């Protein structure tokens, strides 16, 4: 089955963790999911990669894509 944008199930599928997340969690106990800009696909990342995602501008790019404003402030 192919789900395209506009299909009611499309966003639900994008919000589903990837199939390999449990393997990643076993090898990296401190992890988070991020939605990549450009695709919106969830990806498990380490805390270092999460910091890079938040501070490197990709988080802001993703917020712009979905039409949200950054209401959170992060103190690292």
């Amino acid at each position: 089955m192919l789900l395209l944008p506009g299909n009611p199930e499309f966003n639900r599928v994008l919000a589903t963790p990837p199939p390999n997340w449990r393997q990643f969690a076993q090898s990296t106990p401190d992890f988070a999911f991020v939605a990549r800009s450009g695709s919106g696909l969830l990806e498990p990342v380490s805390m270092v990669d999460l910091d890079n995602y938040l501070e490197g501008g990709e988080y802001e790019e993703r917020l712009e894509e979905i039409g949200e404003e950054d209401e959170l402030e992060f103190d690292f």
Side-chain angles (χ1 to χ4, degrees):
M1 177 181 351
L2 182 64
L3 295 176
L4 301 172
N7 184 307
E9 295 294 310
F10 184 77
N11 288 336
R12 184 186 64 79
V13 171
L14 281 182
T16 303
N20 68 334
W21 79 270
R22 286 194 170 110
Q23 293 169 323
F24 186 87
Q26 288 176 346
S27 65
T28 311
D30 294 330
F31 73 99
F33 291 105
V34 298
R36 292 294 182 191
S37 64
S39 70
L41 295 175
L42 290 180
E43 178 181 327
V45 296
S46 67
M47 291 294 112
V48 170
D49 290 337
L50 176 62
D51 288 344
N52 292 336
Y53 175 83
L54 294 172
E55 295 176 4
E58 189 173 358
Y59 175 66
E60 286 84 11
E61 288 176 21
R62 180 65 184 143
L63 289 176
E64 287 176 16
E65 289 174 359
I66 62 173
E68 296 287 329
E69 292 184 24
D70 186 3
E71 297 181 13
L72 302 175
E73 280 192 30
F74 297 99
D75 295 322
F76 295 104

